[in-house]
Amino acid sequence: MSAKNFGFSIHKDRQIDYDKNYREFYYRVKAVEPSISLCISCGNCTATCSAGNFTSMNLRNVILLAARGEVNNLGDNVSACLLCGKCQLGCPRGVNTRNVVIAIRKELKIRRKP
Amino acid sequence: MGKDVLIIGGGIAGMEASAYLSAMGYQVTLVEKANELGGHLLRWERLFPTQRHGKEVLSFLHCGIDGKIRVIKNAEPVAAVTRDDLHIVTLSTGEVITANAVLITTGYKTFDASRKEEYGYGIYNNVVTSADLEEMFSSGKEMLTSSGIVPRRVGFIHCVGSRDEKVGNIYCSKVCCVTAVKQAIELKERLPYAEAFCFYMDLRMYGMHFEELYKEAQEKHGVQFIRGRLSEAAENQDHSLLIKVEDTLTGRPLKMKMDLLVLMVGFEPSDGTQKMAELFHLETGSTRFLKMADEHTSTNVSSVQGVFLAGTCSAPRTITSTITDARAAAAKITSYLSQYSIEQREN
Amino acid sequence: MNFDPFIIPFSVGATFLFVWLFGKLFGWIYTLPKRDQKKLQRHVFSFRILRTFGEIVRECLLHFRLFRINALLGYMHASLAAGWFLLIIFGTVESKVQSGKAFNMPYDPIFYRFFNHAPAHTIQLQTLSFLMDTFLLLVLSAVVFAWFKRLRSKWFGMRRTTRQSRVDRVALTALWLVFPLRFLAESATGAIYGNGDFFTGILGRASESDAVFRMIEYPAWWAYSISLCGFFVLLPFSRYMHIPAEIILVTFRRAGIGHLRRFSAFADIEVESCSRCGVCIDTCQLQKDVDIREVLPVYFLRSIRERDTNEKGASKCLVCGKCAQACPVRIDVNNQRIVQREEFNSNKNFQPLHFEKAQYSGGGKIGYYAGCMTHLTPSIKLAMVKILLAAEADFVFLDQEGSLCCGRPMLLAGEFNGAAAIAMRNEKLIKDCGIETLITSCPICLKMFSEEYQLNIPVLHHSQYIEQILEENKITLNLNRSSYTYHDPCELGRGLGIYDAPRSILTKAGKLIEPDLVRKHAPCCGGSIGSVNLTHAEKKAVTTIAIGKYVETHADILVVSCPLCKKTFVGPNKIKVMDIAEIVADRCEK
């Protein structure tokens, strides 16, 4: 018996579906750059980001979304990064931010390929 | 009885431990390198969470020791040797002191904020530290910026020199969060029309009544809290400051003009503490504070027999915790001198 | 015609080698871009080729550069290479003189003594015979040195020597056997027929009977031929490929051919030219300080050659360039590294979406470009503004409101497409400002501007500009009693060769105390943007050791000329760190 649908599926559910999300993404990135797990979401990287002033590039958010397995909109976000390394200088936790971006870009690419 | 205890450092911990040890009948000598006892307490005008005056606590500490112990000011140890459980310490004045036990209470220093160059301390006139602000408060003068105007907006930056791998300090300094809230309240009391913002990574209101103070700051004084770490500050033409943070809760970068920026500087082991570590061959932990023999059961015990620790030389502490720790150290020294070994209990 | 079956292994090996090498050379030239092929052609058919020959003799035979680095190592390589070369040349002459024919079999000189038993009867042949023995002795001395080097690399001033691969070891064994076997074979023949010279005659003179020599003579010539064959066949697959490759490298380089933004013939020749001498090993801070061996150029280049690059070896490296400056073959390891990074780059289609919004301020003759990093060290930019004002320069602060990145970090990460896109946009932005001179505080930007941009205006580091205005007396410094020690940033020093400008300023400002390692030998601070994935802890370890040398000088201030070095060295809090611009701004008088 199929569950009764009351029309809620017209709009996509806004909840983070933690169980269905592609959380392995985060672990795969973490295997390449373990320091991603050190992030405490202080936002230093985003505030200092040259690209972030003009685009949606927000490294803190990228890391957080990756950790939740919300990978669908990450691409636009990280593609603007110029790898300038300013964020890395400020990061209080010593996260290797440049390689986090590189690893995420790479992982997204792998994922897109069938 | 009649045994000698040497206490190095006449701050809060040194004074309080002196009082207890002398009350227990030991011959206490307190060495202080400045010409006045009190340490950092001399500089804090009012204390969290009660807004009580620092002077009151200082006079309480003085009551315990004045006329009861020997105080040597303007002196510091320059050499130390151990012979048959006796510590023979030479002071800079040339005097040699022999003691059955030594208590290190050399405390902390505040982080040198100019090391966070992007925050502009020592570069821009209107960037001050929390210690500087405290002095502005206690001077009793009118609060003005370097350009001589009454600040309309003041930012408090948490975690400067704390929780920061880039300056080598991974630890939390414990007191800065609540100090920022306290100072923001004091500022609002003096300048009710100014805006006060606290920029924090995490608000650590762990002590009794700290959360109430936080609530009071929101409720009564309208202090605003933005979750984001300052990345850089720049100076405008009028010497006000332009700061860049991410407002992490809205998820967007934020820039804001500030008339005065207060950096909540964290704790680092004082120069005296580092010197004592060398002199007495004490182990230091990864944080460079003096290492306790055991984090739970032997907090006042150093890595060297007969040398004990109290106060902020071993970890960042509040005044309350420092006083408690000084008394614990006194009890520990007493048990050591009467040959009661707490370590035996573990066997 | 002289013939014996034992010449077959040698002939087969030598033929194989020649065919292989010519095939390889043809392949390299064929894959060169048209422009480079023209360059090569022009070079080979010009008088400049003579200088190339000169360099080939100096470096490939006599190993001058290696001598300067390490005399023992230099002697070993020079005596082996030059000795062998002379053996071939004089051996050929000897065999031709003896036979009286201009053309004889190519193997004749190699097995000369076997086919010619008559003692040297003319003065020419006696001289040649004496020379041949001298060269053989020279080569054998090199082989003895090589044995010792394997056993005790420390005697050669090397803390570590290269770990060899299997092919290398077999080839090495063959090479080590060639000359002792030749000595044995020639001595045996010499003993039997009494024609050995001062060296190859030793054995014959030492023993009474020649029965033993009759027994070993023939097998020894066989073994000699086989070992030569083994060496020739393995040469293209072992590190000994560096012998022919280096000659080609020198020629290509002199012709003006260099790296491309992909793995090119030039890069391949460089890779093949690495002799794995191991001089680079001791220079690498990652190896010394944090024990990361994958990055070591000798292994990294080998992995490229074996088409087996690992990402760690490619991306951990600081790209400080210390190995490249130590390399006796002058292999451009930095470019090799970033070309390999490109292989791992997943961001080949970088789309610069937001560049249109970036703007720089114009309206002055001199443009000051602080650079991203300098915005995190505001005292440097303020110092520069103060100096420019004091010099009454007509200047504009281009990136006061922030900037695009110069593109070098992307370039270093192997993202060439992105780097080029940034460079193009920035170039336009800077040109639109209408400035006549560009000054920057960041050596990373400086390197990018001067090498990858076509700005057509002078681009200076601020230390060069300050030196200039000091000479023109636009500002003067009041000397004080402070003592300074100076750190050469990688990009400014090894990267661009700017060593003297900061030093000349510092000697005008106070006392300069130099640490042990300066100029091209200066350490990297550890904060390099060149490394993609060095961890914070690893960087910190490198920094702590690097700063130690400066603390030891007991100077009051460690002076740097790079915002990144400054930020990195402030971390350990061991010594006061200032940028050269701050020193000048503090003491500058109009």
Short mmCIF file of all heavy atoms in Angstrom, two decimals, chain B residues 109 115-120 123-124 165-168 231-235 237 268, chain C residues 375-382 400-402 536 540 566-567 570-573 582:
data_model
loop_
_atom_site.label_atom_id
_atom_site.label_comp_id
_atom_site.label_asym_id
_atom_site.label_seq_id
_atom_site.Cartn_x
_atom_site.Cartn_y
_atom_site.Cartn_z
N LYS B 109 50.44 36.83 31.60
CA LYS B 109 50.45 38.16 30.99
C LYS B 109 49.39 38.16 29.91
O LYS B 109 48.99 37.10 29.42
CB LYS B 109 51.83 38.48 30.40
CG LYS B 109 52.23 37.58 29.23
CD LYS B 109 53.55 38.02 28.63
CE LYS B 109 53.95 37.06 27.52
NZ LYS B 109 55.29 37.19 27.05
N ARG B 115 50.61 41.21 17.75
CA ARG B 115 50.96 40.02 16.96
C ARG B 115 49.83 39.64 16.00
O ARG B 115 50.07 38.92 15.04
CB ARG B 115 51.28 38.85 17.88
CG ARG B 115 52.66 38.98 18.54
CD ARG B 115 52.92 37.88 19.53
NE ARG B 115 52.90 36.57 18.91
CZ ARG B 115 52.62 35.46 19.56
NH1 ARG B 115 52.31 35.49 20.86
NH2 ARG B 115 52.64 34.30 18.93
N LYS B 116 48.61 40.09 16.29
CA LYS B 116 47.53 39.90 15.31
C LYS B 116 47.48 41.17 14.48
O LYS B 116 46.63 42.04 14.69
CB LYS B 116 46.18 39.68 16.01
CG LYS B 116 46.00 38.33 16.65
CD LYS B 116 46.00 37.17 15.68
CE LYS B 116 44.70 37.00 14.93
NZ LYS B 116 44.80 35.80 14.01
N GLU B 117 48.42 41.27 13.57
CA GLU B 117 48.62 42.55 12.89
C GLU B 117 47.38 43.03 12.15
O GLU B 117 47.09 44.22 12.10
CB GLU B 117 49.79 42.41 11.91
CG GLU B 117 50.28 43.74 11.41
CD GLU B 117 51.46 43.61 10.48
OE1 GLU B 117 52.25 42.66 10.63
OE2 GLU B 117 51.60 44.48 9.61
N GLU B 118 46.62 42.06 11.58
CA GLU B 118 45.45 42.45 10.79
C GLU B 118 44.37 43.15 11.64
O GLU B 118 43.46 43.75 11.11
CB GLU B 118 44.86 41.24 10.06
CG GLU B 118 44.41 40.08 10.93
CD GLU B 118 45.49 39.03 11.20
OE1 GLU B 118 46.64 39.44 11.47
OE2 GLU B 118 45.18 37.84 11.16
N TYR B 119 44.50 43.07 12.97
CA TYR B 119 43.53 43.75 13.84
C TYR B 119 43.96 45.20 14.11
O TYR B 119 43.19 45.98 14.65
CB TYR B 119 43.37 43.00 15.17
CG TYR B 119 42.68 41.65 15.04
CD1 TYR B 119 42.26 41.16 13.82
CD2 TYR B 119 42.44 40.87 16.17
CE1 TYR B 119 41.63 39.92 13.71
CE2 TYR B 119 41.81 39.63 16.08
CZ TYR B 119 41.41 39.17 14.84
OH TYR B 119 40.78 37.95 14.74
N GLY B 120 45.21 45.50 13.80
CA GLY B 120 45.63 46.90 13.83
C GLY B 120 46.03 47.47 15.18
O GLY B 120 46.17 48.69 15.32
N ILE B 123 48.80 50.02 15.49
CA ILE B 123 48.89 50.65 14.17
C ILE B 123 47.81 51.73 14.06
O ILE B 123 48.08 52.85 13.67
CB ILE B 123 48.68 49.60 13.06
CG1 ILE B 123 49.71 48.46 13.19
CG2 ILE B 123 48.79 50.24 11.69
CD1 ILE B 123 49.46 47.30 12.26
N TYR B 124 46.60 51.36 14.42
CA TYR B 124 45.48 52.31 14.39
C TYR B 124 45.22 52.79 15.81
O TYR B 124 45.19 51.99 16.75
CB TYR B 124 44.23 51.65 13.82
CG TYR B 124 44.44 50.95 12.50
CD1 TYR B 124 43.93 49.68 12.27
CD2 TYR B 124 45.15 51.58 11.47
CE1 TYR B 124 44.13 49.04 11.04
CE2 TYR B 124 45.35 50.94 10.25
CZ TYR B 124 44.84 49.68 10.05
OH TYR B 124 45.04 49.05 8.85
N GLU B 165 45.49 28.94 16.50
CA GLU B 165 46.70 28.18 16.14
C GLU B 165 47.77 29.09 15.56
O GLU B 165 48.95 28.83 15.67
CB GLU B 165 46.36 27.13 15.08
CG GLU B 165 45.51 25.98 15.57
CD GLU B 165 46.36 24.79 16.01
OE1 GLU B 165 47.57 24.96 16.18
OE2 GLU B 165 45.77 23.71 16.20
N LYS B 166 47.32 30.15 14.89
CA LYS B 166 48.27 30.97 14.16
C LYS B 166 49.20 31.75 15.07
O LYS B 166 50.24 32.22 14.65
CB LYS B 166 47.53 31.92 13.20
CG LYS B 166 46.82 31.19 12.09
CD LYS B 166 47.81 30.53 11.11
CE LYS B 166 47.26 29.28 10.46
NZ LYS B 166 46.26 29.53 9.44
N VAL B 167 48.79 31.95 16.33
CA VAL B 167 49.72 32.59 17.27
C VAL B 167 50.22 31.56 18.28
O VAL B 167 50.86 31.89 19.27
CB VAL B 167 49.09 33.81 17.99
CG1 VAL B 167 48.78 34.90 16.99
CG2 VAL B 167 47.84 33.41 18.76
N GLY B 168 49.88 30.31 18.04
CA GLY B 168 50.40 29.24 18.89
C GLY B 168 49.62 29.01 20.17
O GLY B 168 50.10 28.31 21.05
N SER B 231 38.15 39.34 10.79
CA SER B 231 39.25 38.92 9.92
C SER B 231 40.25 40.05 9.73
O SER B 231 41.44 39.84 9.78
CB SER B 231 38.73 38.41 8.60
OG SER B 231 38.35 39.48 7.78
N GLU B 232 39.77 41.25 9.49
CA GLU B 232 40.72 42.35 9.38
C GLU B 232 40.04 43.69 9.65
O GLU B 232 38.83 43.82 9.51
CB GLU B 232 41.39 42.37 8.00
CG GLU B 232 40.43 42.42 6.84
CD GLU B 232 41.10 42.07 5.50
OE1 GLU B 232 41.79 42.93 4.97
OE2 GLU B 232 40.90 40.94 5.02
N ALA B 233 40.85 44.65 10.08
CA ALA B 233 40.35 45.99 10.34
C ALA B 233 41.17 46.97 9.52
O ALA B 233 42.37 46.78 9.34
CB ALA B 233 40.48 46.32 11.82
N ALA B 234 40.52 47.99 9.01
CA ALA B 234 41.25 49.03 8.27
C ALA B 234 40.83 50.37 8.85
O ALA B 234 39.76 50.49 9.46
CB ALA B 234 40.92 48.96 6.79
N GLU B 235 41.67 51.37 8.67
CA GLU B 235 41.36 52.68 9.25
C GLU B 235 40.77 53.60 8.19
O GLU B 235 41.26 53.66 7.07
CB GLU B 235 42.63 53.29 9.83
CG GLU B 235 42.35 54.42 10.79
CD GLU B 235 43.62 54.95 11.44
OE1 GLU B 235 44.62 55.14 10.73
OE2 GLU B 235 43.60 55.16 12.66
N GLN B 237 39.53 57.56 6.92
CA GLN B 237 40.14 58.89 6.95
C GLN B 237 39.97 59.56 8.32
O GLN B 237 40.87 60.19 8.83
CB GLN B 237 39.48 59.79 5.89
CG GLN B 237 39.81 59.37 4.46
CD GLN B 237 41.21 59.79 4.07
OE1 GLN B 237 41.66 60.87 4.41
NE2 GLN B 237 41.94 58.92 3.38
N GLU B 268 48.59 34.46 28.48
CA GLU B 268 49.79 33.70 28.15
C GLU B 268 50.60 33.60 29.43
O GLU B 268 50.49 34.48 30.29
CB GLU B 268 50.61 34.42 27.06
CG GLU B 268 50.01 34.30 25.68
CD GLU B 268 50.96 34.72 24.57
OE1 GLU B 268 51.83 35.57 24.83
OE2 GLU B 268 50.81 34.20 23.46
N HIS C 375 47.26 43.08 2.84
CA HIS C 375 46.10 43.62 3.57
C HIS C 375 45.96 43.00 4.95
O HIS C 375 45.26 43.52 5.80
CB HIS C 375 44.83 43.45 2.74
CG HIS C 375 44.75 44.40 1.60
ND1 HIS C 375 44.53 45.75 1.78
CD2 HIS C 375 44.91 44.23 0.26
CE1 HIS C 375 44.55 46.36 0.60
NE2 HIS C 375 44.78 45.45 -0.33
N LEU C 376 46.63 41.88 5.15
CA LEU C 376 46.60 41.27 6.48
C LEU C 376 47.82 41.70 7.31
O LEU C 376 47.97 41.30 8.47
CB LEU C 376 46.56 39.74 6.37
CG LEU C 376 45.26 39.18 5.77
CD1 LEU C 376 45.32 37.67 5.69
CD2 LEU C 376 44.05 39.60 6.60
N THR C 377 48.71 42.46 6.71
CA THR C 377 49.82 43.05 7.46
C THR C 377 49.79 44.56 7.22
O THR C 377 50.64 45.10 6.52
CB THR C 377 51.17 42.48 6.99
OG1 THR C 377 51.24 42.62 5.57
CG2 THR C 377 51.36 41.03 7.35
N PRO C 378 48.79 45.23 7.79
CA PRO C 378 48.58 46.63 7.42
C PRO C 378 49.77 47.55 7.68
O PRO C 378 49.91 48.56 7.01
CB PRO C 378 47.37 47.05 8.25
CG PRO C 378 47.17 45.98 9.26
CD PRO C 378 47.80 44.74 8.74
N SER C 379 50.64 47.18 8.62
CA SER C 379 51.75 48.11 8.86
C SER C 379 52.66 48.23 7.64
O SER C 379 53.29 49.25 7.44
CB SER C 379 52.56 47.76 10.10
OG SER C 379 52.56 46.41 10.33
N ILE C 380 52.68 47.19 6.81
CA ILE C 380 53.51 47.28 5.61
C ILE C 380 52.91 48.28 4.63
O ILE C 380 53.60 49.14 4.10
CB ILE C 380 53.66 45.89 4.93
CG1 ILE C 380 54.31 44.88 5.89
CG2 ILE C 380 54.46 46.01 3.65
CD1 ILE C 380 54.49 43.49 5.32
N LYS C 381 51.60 48.19 4.42
CA LYS C 381 51.02 49.10 3.42
C LYS C 381 51.04 50.54 3.93
O LYS C 381 51.29 51.46 3.16
CB LYS C 381 49.63 48.65 2.98
CG LYS C 381 48.58 48.51 4.04
CD LYS C 381 47.24 48.06 3.44
CE LYS C 381 46.17 48.03 4.51
NZ LYS C 381 44.89 47.53 4.06
N LEU C 382 50.83 50.70 5.23
CA LEU C 382 50.89 52.07 5.77
C LEU C 382 52.30 52.63 5.65
O LEU C 382 52.50 53.80 5.36
CB LEU C 382 50.43 52.09 7.22
CG LEU C 382 48.96 51.76 7.44
CD1 LEU C 382 48.60 51.84 8.92
CD2 LEU C 382 48.07 52.71 6.64
N GLN C 400 43.64 49.63 -2.77
CA GLN C 400 43.27 50.03 -1.42
C GLN C 400 41.97 49.36 -0.97
O GLN C 400 41.82 48.97 0.18
CB GLN C 400 43.09 51.55 -1.37
CG GLN C 400 43.00 52.09 0.05
CD GLN C 400 43.29 53.56 0.12
OE1 GLN C 400 43.18 54.28 -0.86
NE2 GLN C 400 43.69 54.03 1.29
N GLU C 401 41.06 49.21 -1.91
CA GLU C 401 39.76 48.60 -1.58
C GLU C 401 39.76 47.11 -1.84
O GLU C 401 38.72 46.52 -2.07
CB GLU C 401 38.66 49.26 -2.41
CG GLU C 401 38.59 50.77 -2.34
CD GLU C 401 38.14 51.26 -0.97
OE1 GLU C 401 37.26 50.61 -0.38
OE2 GLU C 401 38.68 52.28 -0.50
N GLY C 402 40.93 46.51 -1.84
CA GLY C 402 41.00 45.08 -2.11
C GLY C 402 41.25 44.81 -3.58
O GLY C 402 41.17 45.71 -4.41
N HIS C 536 49.20 22.26 8.89
CA HIS C 536 49.61 23.37 9.74
C HIS C 536 50.77 22.95 10.64
O HIS C 536 51.72 23.70 10.83
CB HIS C 536 48.41 23.83 10.57
CG HIS C 536 48.73 24.93 11.52
ND1 HIS C 536 49.14 26.18 11.09
CD2 HIS C 536 48.76 24.97 12.86
CE1 HIS C 536 49.38 26.94 12.15
NE2 HIS C 536 49.16 26.23 13.23
N LYS C 540 54.45 24.55 10.73
CA LYS C 540 54.95 25.12 11.99
C LYS C 540 56.34 24.55 12.31
O LYS C 540 57.22 25.30 12.74
CB LYS C 540 53.97 24.74 13.11
CG LYS C 540 53.87 25.78 14.20
CD LYS C 540 52.64 25.54 15.04
CE LYS C 540 52.96 25.51 16.49
NZ LYS C 540 51.81 25.14 17.31
N LYS C 566 56.40 37.47 6.84
CA LYS C 566 56.21 38.19 8.09
C LYS C 566 55.15 37.50 8.95
O LYS C 566 55.38 37.20 10.12
CB LYS C 566 55.79 39.64 7.81
CG LYS C 566 55.71 40.45 9.09
CD LYS C 566 55.27 41.88 8.92
CE LYS C 566 55.30 42.54 10.30
NZ LYS C 566 54.60 43.81 10.33
N LYS C 567 54.02 37.24 8.34
CA LYS C 567 52.93 36.58 9.09
C LYS C 567 53.39 35.24 9.64
O LYS C 567 53.04 34.85 10.75
CB LYS C 567 51.73 36.35 8.16
CG LYS C 567 50.79 37.50 8.12
CD LYS C 567 49.46 37.13 8.72
CE LYS C 567 48.82 38.10 9.63
NZ LYS C 567 48.79 37.97 10.98
N VAL C 570 55.92 35.71 12.61
CA VAL C 570 55.34 36.28 13.83
C VAL C 570 54.78 35.15 14.70
O VAL C 570 54.81 35.25 15.93
CB VAL C 570 54.25 37.32 13.47
CG1 VAL C 570 53.40 37.66 14.66
CG2 VAL C 570 54.90 38.59 12.92
N GLY C 571 54.34 34.08 14.08
CA GLY C 571 53.73 32.97 14.81
C GLY C 571 54.50 32.47 16.01
O GLY C 571 54.00 32.46 17.13
N PRO C 572 55.78 32.05 15.81
CA PRO C 572 56.52 31.47 16.94
C PRO C 572 56.88 32.48 18.04
O PRO C 572 57.26 32.07 19.13
CB PRO C 572 57.80 30.94 16.28
CG PRO C 572 57.54 30.88 14.84
CD PRO C 572 56.54 31.93 14.55
N ASN C 573 56.80 33.79 17.74
CA ASN C 573 57.05 34.81 18.76
C ASN C 573 58.43 34.68 19.39
O ASN C 573 58.59 34.75 20.60
CB ASN C 573 55.98 34.71 19.86
CG ASN C 573 55.90 35.97 20.69
OD1 ASN C 573 56.33 37.04 20.25
ND2 ASN C 573 55.39 35.85 21.90
N GLU C 582 58.72 48.92 6.78
CA GLU C 582 58.48 49.49 8.12
C GLU C 582 59.75 50.09 8.69
O GLU C 582 59.72 51.14 9.33
CB GLU C 582 57.98 48.39 9.06
CG GLU C 582 56.63 47.81 8.69
CD GLU C 582 56.29 46.66 9.61
OE1 GLU C 582 56.12 46.88 10.82
OE2 GLU C 582 56.22 45.51 9.11
#
